Amino acid sequence: MAGYTHLFIPGPTNIPEEVRQAMNLPMEDMRAASFPNLTLPLFEDI
């Protein structure tokens, strides 16, 4: 894709299985009714 800079990491990485599994989470639906419950606590201290 022209105009985009990508990060390329050479070769396989030594990521522990626990870390790899922790990254394997479903995405949050930004249109769901429960989404404000996720985001509002993030803005309380701002």
Side-chain angles (χ1 to χ4, degrees):
M1 293 167 59
Y4 289 92
T5 303
H6 298 281
L7 173 64
F8 294 99
I9 301 172
T13 58
N14 296 328
I15 299 175
E17 183 65 18
E18 295 84 10
V19 174
R20 196 184 68 71
Q21 288 296 325
M23 293 187 302
N24 190 19
L25 296 174
M27 293 178 57
E28 293 288 333
D29 184 5
M30 296 187 310
R31 294 171 291 190
S34 62
F35 191 70
N37 297 335
L38 173 71
T39 58
L40 290 177
L42 299 173
F43 299 114
E44 286 178 355
D45 294 331
I46 295 181

